[in-house]
Amino acid sequence: MLTKRIIPCLDVKDNRVVKGVNFLNLRDAGDPVELGARYSDTGADELVFLDITATIRSRKTIVDMIRRVAQNVFIPFTVGGGVRTIEQIDKLLRSGAEKASVNTAAVQNPNLIAEASRRFGNQCVVLAIDARRSKTHPGHWQVCVKAGSEPTDIDVVEWAVRGEQLGAGEILLTSMDADGTKAGYDNELNKAVSDAVNIPVIASGGAGTLDHLYDAVVVGGADAVLMASITHFGNYTIRQMKQYLRDRGLPMNL
């Protein structure tokens, strides 16, 4: 079994890390560079920075912040939010990010995934999917765009499969229903996507306890777990998470 990864997520709004519930009611969690450096120093495997208002406001991801992060963080990190063009991806990677995450722009122009994969390699391309349970089709989820504010008619599992075919190297899968609730990941969703693709799936949305992390991997089939609330606000340290998962038999980089 491959080593499982612990990945703190830093949702950034106006150069501050924020966290909400179901993408709403945001509260401040600190400076992105300081938090990123702390996680880097305390054992996180990777980081994800998401400029959560970039798409809504049609703003570009803030490259200056990424450069500062790269100077202070010594683990791989992904950047997303408002990434729309090959040129933007190129700028993010040149500024120090290892991977770029695409969501809304990829739905609007799926060829963006293929172009990015050809130019930078699929290891640099993360397809982010914001998923909401369908109210009309039980057992299915619909893709949402623009920071989760707009639902589409696209089926999540079908979109994940197509994303892999187009050249995405990883899927960042967020359950909007579970996000920020600390009630556990949507492992039915995680398993449906993990079973359908052959690339790594990062489970996101709902982490509240150490058991939730374990279940996302064992029940949901995730290759990595993303979390925010339980790390930003001091519930658990990265080492506590990793030690717990190792004690339960999962391979971890300690």
Side-chain angles (χ1 to χ4, degrees), residues 53-252:
T53 57
T55 304
I56 294 174
R57 300 180 182 178
S58 297
R59 292 187 293 106
K60 294 180 181 179
T61 301
I62 301 171
V63 173
D64 286 346
M65 185 197 78
I66 301 310
R67 290 183 177 137
R68 289 191 294 123
V69 169
Q71 292 171 353
N72 292 275
V73 170
F74 304 103
I75 56 176
F77 66 93
T78 299
V79 180
V83 180
R84 294 187 164 276
T85 67
I86 292 295
E87 291 71 27
Q88 288 175 338
I89 295 173
D90 183 58
K91 184 173 286 188
L92 291 176
L93 297 177
R94 289 179 182 273
S95 298
E98 275 74 20
K99 307 174 191 178
S101 169
V102 292
N103 186 340
T104 300
V107 172
Q108 296 170 340
N109 173 27
N111 195 50
L112 176 64
I113 301 172
E115 291 180 11
S117 180
R118 282 195 297 268
R119 179 160 175 179
F120 307 111
N122 72 342
Q123 77 281 355
C124 294
V125 183
V126 178
L127 176 59
I129 304 177
D130 293 334
R132 190 182 293 281
R133 282 184 176 269
S134 173
K135 295 180 180 178
T136 56
H137 297 83
H140 290 262
W141 298 262
Q142 60 191 131
V143 174
C144 297
V145 297
K146 296 186 178 178
S149 64
E150 286 189 14
T152 72
D153 293 328
I154 301 171
D155 179 82
V156 165
V157 176
E158 292 176 1
W159 176 230
V161 170
R162 189 178 179 203
E164 179 183 16
Q165 294 170 343
L166 287 165
E170 196 164 36
I171 291 174
L172 172 53
L173 181 62
T174 300
S175 166
M176 293 185 59
D177 303 293
D179 178 73
T181 64
K182 300 185 186 179
Y185 296 92
D186 184 344
N187 288 316
E188 187 179 354
L189 166 66
N190 293 331
K191 183 166 177 54
V193 173
S194 296
D195 285 351
V197 300
N198 298 300
I199 54 177
V201 173
I202 305 170
S204 170
T209 69
L210 300 180
D211 283 341
H212 293 159
L213 308 181
Y214 178 84
D215 289 344
V217 174
V218 174
V219 179
D223 298 273
V225 285
L226 197 81
M227 73 287 298
S229 297
I230 66 170
T231 53
H232 296 345
F233 302 116
N235 300 66
Y236 302 100
T237 66
I238 301 297
R239 183 162 186 83
Q240 282 177 314
M241 296 177 187
K242 287 190 167 185
Q243 191 64 58
Y244 175 83
L245 295 176
R246 174 179 274 190
D247 289 346
R248 294 198 64 178
L250 296 180
M252 306 300 299

Side-chain angles (χ1 to χ4, degrees), residues 8-76:
C9 180
L10 295 89
D11 292 334
V12 179
K13 177 184 179 183
D14 301 326
N15 283 324
R16 297 292 293 179
V17 176
V18 296
K19 188 56 195 160
V21 178
N22 305 128
F23 287 33
L24 301 172
N25 302 318
L26 303 177
R27 60 171 172 155
D28 188 89
D31 177 78
V33 179
E34 291 178 3
L35 269 179
R38 187 180 81 194
Y39 289 136
S40 176
D41 292 342
T42 56
D45 296 298
E46 297 182 23
L47 295 170
V48 170
F49 292 86
L50 297 178
D51 188 352
I52 62 173
T53 57
T55 304
I56 294 174
R57 300 180 182 178
S58 297
R59 292 187 293 106
K60 294 180 181 179
T61 301
I62 301 171
V63 173
D64 286 346
M65 185 197 78
I66 301 310
R67 290 183 177 137
R68 289 191 294 123
V69 169
Q71 292 171 353
N72 292 275
V73 170
F74 304 103
I75 56 176

